[in-house]
Amino acid sequence: MGFFGKLKSVLSKTRDGMAKKLNDLFAKNKLGEEFYEELEDILISSDVSVKTTMEIVDEIRDTAIKEKCKDKEYVVNLLKEELFDTLNYADPISVTPPTIIMVIGVNGVGKTTTIGKLANKFVKEKKSVTIAAADTFRAAAVDQLAVWADRAKVRIVKSSEGADSSAVVFDAVTSAKAKKTDVLIIDTAGRLHVKANLMEELKKMDRVVKREYPEANFIKLIALDATTGQNAYNQVETFKDAVGIDGIILTKLDGTAKGGFIISLSYELEVPVVYVGTGEKIDDIEDFDAREFINGMF
């Protein structure tokens, strides 16, 4: 199954809700203020923020009036293009070796699993990969990551449970630099965005990377559980303020009917979606494609 097939499958809950509501809307309403108000309600019910929804619907209304349009298919295509432009607003990123990827986020979003999938993906792209087990806080986190490293057949730099996470990062960066590794992926402990001491630890790791390997392409990706919906805003804002966020990895997208939140979150915080998890297996991660994501919602 290709990316679009997988994405269409994981977006089925979002698509089923939106498609039915759009069909009902077109069946009973001609274009007019009531139509656009209901269109706003449909987008908001799919967890697109109120602010972004109003901007999108205003653009559609203005274009439809200008073009004197009354055709359902035309308006749906207008909606798709507006959603695509909104989701595609943030600048994209690229993994150009040497790259260091630090994966951050709150507890339980699937960071460790995602790192295993990413490592496997980069190996398939003929890149050399090292994983740094800097989550020294959670019991068995290092062992869990070691299993994924073995599955992906990549090197892992680790220490004992309770060790200084910044020291692990230092060792991993030094090793990756010496071996000219293409991609170093750093696992970090899940931390609530309201815990100041844990955020300070994250800032320290960030400083270590920048100091020890300034010439590397340093990317910070936040893993987001898609079922969190609009509540993800506070997470992303806090992590972005602390160390900067370059991109988003979406996990558990198949578990939500409100996948629209990512459109407004990416747009309003100017952070692109980079990868999306499409299942539980090691191959179930893909480069994010905004066009196919929007098509998958309809």
Side-chain angles (χ1 to χ4, degrees), residues 247-279:
I248 295 166
I249 304 171
L250 272 183
T251 68
K252 307 179 187 179
L253 192 58
D254 56 333
T256 182
K258 296 188 173 184
F261 88 95
I262 197 62
I263 295 168
S264 45
L265 185 145
S266 176
Y267 171 64
E268 292 176 21
L269 299 182
E270 297 185 38
V271 180
V273 184
V274 185
Y275 301 108
V276 58
T278 56

Side-chain angles (χ1 to χ4, degrees), residues 31 36 81 92 102 119-120 137 164 174 200 268 273 296 298:
L31 296 185
Y36 292 113
E81 287 305 309
M102 188 158 73
N120 180 68
F137 179 76
D164 180 10
T174 302
E200 286 303 317
E268 292 176 21
V273 184
F298 287 82

Side-chain angles (χ1 to χ4, degrees), residues 1-4 6-7 117-118 121 249-250 273-278 283-289:
M1 185 186 292
F3 177 57
F4 182 64
K6 288 182 179 179
L7 200 55
K117 292 177 182 179
L118 280 176
K121 180 181 186 300
I249 304 171
L250 272 183
V273 184
V274 185
Y275 301 108
V276 58
T278 56
D283 292 319
D284 290 338
I285 193 165
E286 305 282 350
D287 294 325
F288 183 77
D289 186 306

Side-chain angles (χ1 to χ4, degrees), residues 97-268:
T99 288
I100 298 174
I101 298 174
M102 188 158 73
V103 180
I104 61 183
V106 300
N107 300 293
V109 295
K111 289 190 302 299
T112 303
T113 302
T114 296
I115 287 169
K117 292 177 182 179
L118 280 176
N120 180 68
K121 180 181 186 300
F122 293 136
V123 167
K124 287 190 168 185
E125 294 171 359
K126 310 299 182 187
K127 293 181 174 75
S128 57
V129 180
T130 296
I131 293 175
D135 179 359
T136 57
F137 179 76
R138 182 170 59 91
V142 175
D143 292 340
Q144 183 186 358
L145 192 65
V147 170
W148 280 104
D150 184 60
R151 287 178 188 168
K153 296 179 173 56
V154 300
R155 212 162 53 88
I156 182 169
V157 176
K158 59 185 180 178
S159 187
S160 58
E161 185 181 319
D164 180 10
S165 57
S166 293
V168 176
V169 170
F170 176 86
D171 290 344
V173 170
T174 302
S175 174
K177 190 174 182 180
K179 294 178 179 294
K180 301 189 186 309
T181 304
D182 292 329
V183 183
L184 168 64
I185 310 174
I186 301 170
D187 190 16
T188 64
R191 60 204 70 222
L192 294 172
H193 52 290
V194 294
K195 293 287 187 181
N197 60 322
L198 291 177
M199 296 306 286
E200 286 303 317
E201 182 185 64
L202 200 62
K203 291 178 185 179
K204 186 178 176 183
M205 288 188 277
D206 178 65
R207 290 194 298 269
V208 168
V209 173
K210 290 174 178 174
R211 183 186 70 223
E212 299 301 323
Y213 207 169
E215 62 270 37
N217 177 28
F218 185 24
I219 299 170
K220 282 151 283 187
L221 301 180
I222 186 166
L224 289 181
D225 179 339
T227 63
T228 306
Q230 293 287 337
N231 292 327
Y233 272 75
N234 288 339
Q235 292 178 29
V236 178
E237 281 186 310
T238 306
F239 281 103
K240 189 178 181 184
D241 288 344
V243 294
I245 297 293
D246 300 296
I248 295 166
I249 304 171
L250 272 183
T251 68
K252 307 179 187 179
L253 192 58
D254 56 333
T256 182
K258 296 188 173 184
F261 88 95
I262 197 62
I263 295 168
S264 45
L265 185 145
S266 176
Y267 171 64
E268 292 176 21

